[in-house]
Amino acid sequence: MRQRVFELRNAVLRQFAATLAVSSLLVLIGIGGASAQSGTPAPDQGKAAAQPADAAKDAAQNQRRTDEFAEAAQVINGPAGNPECVWLGRRVVRLMWRDDLDTAFRHLDLYDRFGCPGGHIQAAFRCLTRFGGQIDPKVAETLDSRVHACWINPNAQPQQAAAASPPAAPAAGNSPAPQPAASPSPAASPSPAPSK
């Protein structure tokens, strides 16, 4: 009797396994056919279309960086104009502006290790603080371009301060007639008082 029960149980288990295998195979075939007919492109096709656009964007960005390094090497005499000093120094100034001081100090250690002048970072950051009102925190390019401009010329002044400074007095008595200064933008006029 026991042997018949085991045979019956084995027969049921074999039938269940065969049914499960056939149904799994049918489901896999159905999923494969549905995905082949769907309108979504294969991952390789999407990557192939995006690669030329990314390559052109990367090439333009690399060219811009190369131009910035060449400009810094021409304008700045000494080690502050070296590409590694320019790259690390601008990065330190940018991180300090964003209040990421821990990361800025780690980069500053690398900057010092390359023999770059620490005073240039101080001067560039001082310049950047003068332009604080002109930097849009939502647009990364404004910060990056201002950091680069301050790295190239740490003595730069904001336009408003340059326009407010008095013009230099002529040194010689036979100088041509002075040119009129550019008129500053008009200030907002007060609203007229209501008549009584």
Side-chain angles (χ1 to χ4, degrees):
M1 176 85 178
R2 214 180 245 177
Q3 193 171 15
R4 284 190 80 181
V5 171
F6 285 131
E7 288 176 6
L8 181 62
R9 190 181 76 181
N10 286 340
V12 169
L13 286 176
R14 273 186 257 141
Q15 182 66 30
F16 178 73
T19 306
L20 182 65
V22 170
S23 61
S24 298
L25 183 63
L26 289 175
V27 168
L28 288 175
I29 290 173
I31 290 175
S35 67
Q37 293 178 0
S38 68
T40 59
D44 294 338
Q45 293 172 352
K47 289 179 185 177
Q51 284 178 350
D54 290 343
K57 188 176 181 181
D58 289 343
Q61 186 176 14
N62 286 337
Q63 183 62 39
R64 182 182 55 85
R65 286 181 182 163
T66 303
D67 293 343
E68 288 176 350
F69 292 147
E71 177 188 9
Q74 290 174 353
V75 174
I76 302 171
N77 293 329
N82 293 344
E84 64 273 11
C85 294
V86 172
W87 188 80
L88 283 167
R90 291 187 318 186
R91 191 169 201 105
V92 168
V93 171
R94 189 178 315 112
L95 288 167
M96 287 170 49
W97 179 260
R98 291 183 178 159
D99 290 330
D100 190 359
L101 297 179
D102 291 335
T103 309
F105 286 139
R106 282 184 275 160
H107 281 79
L108 190 58
D109 289 340
L110 282 172
Y111 182 82
D112 291 337
R113 193 169 288 202
F114 278 106
C116 303
H120 200 83
I121 287 183
Q122 182 180 2
F125 188 73
R126 185 179 301 127
C127 170
L128 189 63
T129 58
R130 285 186 222 127
F131 290 94
Q134 297 176 356
I135 297 173
D136 185 4
K138 295 178 184 174
V139 181
E141 285 300 314
T142 58
L143 177 61
D144 292 342
S145 64
R146 184 52 57 198
V147 167
H148 179 69
C150 284
W151 189 263
I152 297 295
N153 182 12
N155 297 322
Q157 297 289 328
Q159 292 290 13
Q160 296 155 348
S165 64
N174 292 342
S175 64
Q179 297 291 328
S183 61
S185 60
S189 60
S191 58
S195 57
K196 294 181 182 179

